[in-house]
Amino acid sequence: MYFNDFQIVLQEVPGEVSLCLTISGCPHRCEGCHSPFLWKEGSGQQLTHEIFRGMLYKYYGFATCVVFMGGEWHQAELIENLRCAKDKGYKTCLYTGLEKVDKEILKHLTWIKTGQWITARGGLDSKSTNQKFIEVKTNKILNHLFIKK
């Protein structure tokens, strides 16, 4: 599994300071994708156990969540990283263009954002979006947290 970018983000999971890793090799190729450079498998840096654990250790006590932007196509590695994050006390989230992911991945997630990008429908901050931000434990859709009042 390779990641192209690592950032500390505040908007992807409302109420959480999140470590966000953008995973390369995306097979979905959504029309209008803002990051087509992520389609290339192996671009960026390999996410080794040492690098990932180093991130978790460095930001422990500051960040509360780990967000993977993609990576479900590397199921075993993703699950291993999600387990590691949870073991260190982090909440977990996956942003995917799929409508659903394997139950084995869901077991290790606090939240999941599903649905491909459709330009005309917008993202989670749009009332007409096809995307869903779901609390996995309750299966509750939390899109309202992204809508500006």
Side-chain angles (χ1 to χ4, degrees), residues 87-100:
D87 287 348
K88 301 288 185 210
Y90 287 88
K91 298 169 190 166
T92 57
C93 182
L94 172 66
Y95 268 56
T96 177
L98 299 174
E99 294 302 316
K100 54 175 123 175

Side-chain angles (χ1 to χ4, degrees), residues 23 41 49 53 61 96 117:
I23 307 302
E41 181 67 47
H49 301 297
R53 287 186 184 118
T96 177
W117 171 256

Side-chain angles (χ1 to χ4, degrees), residues 8 27 57 76 91 98-99 113 125-126 140:
I8 297 171
Y57 178 78
K91 298 169 190 166
L98 299 174
E99 294 302 316
K113 189 286 300 174
D125 60 347
S126 169
K140 186 174 180 184

Side-chain angles (χ1 to χ4, degrees), residues 93-110:
C93 182
L94 172 66
Y95 268 56
T96 177
L98 299 174
E99 294 302 316
K100 54 175 123 175
V101 297
D102 191 283
K103 290 178 183 179
E104 289 303 311
I105 293 174
L106 284 175
K107 288 181 187 178
H108 304 283
L109 293 172
T110 310

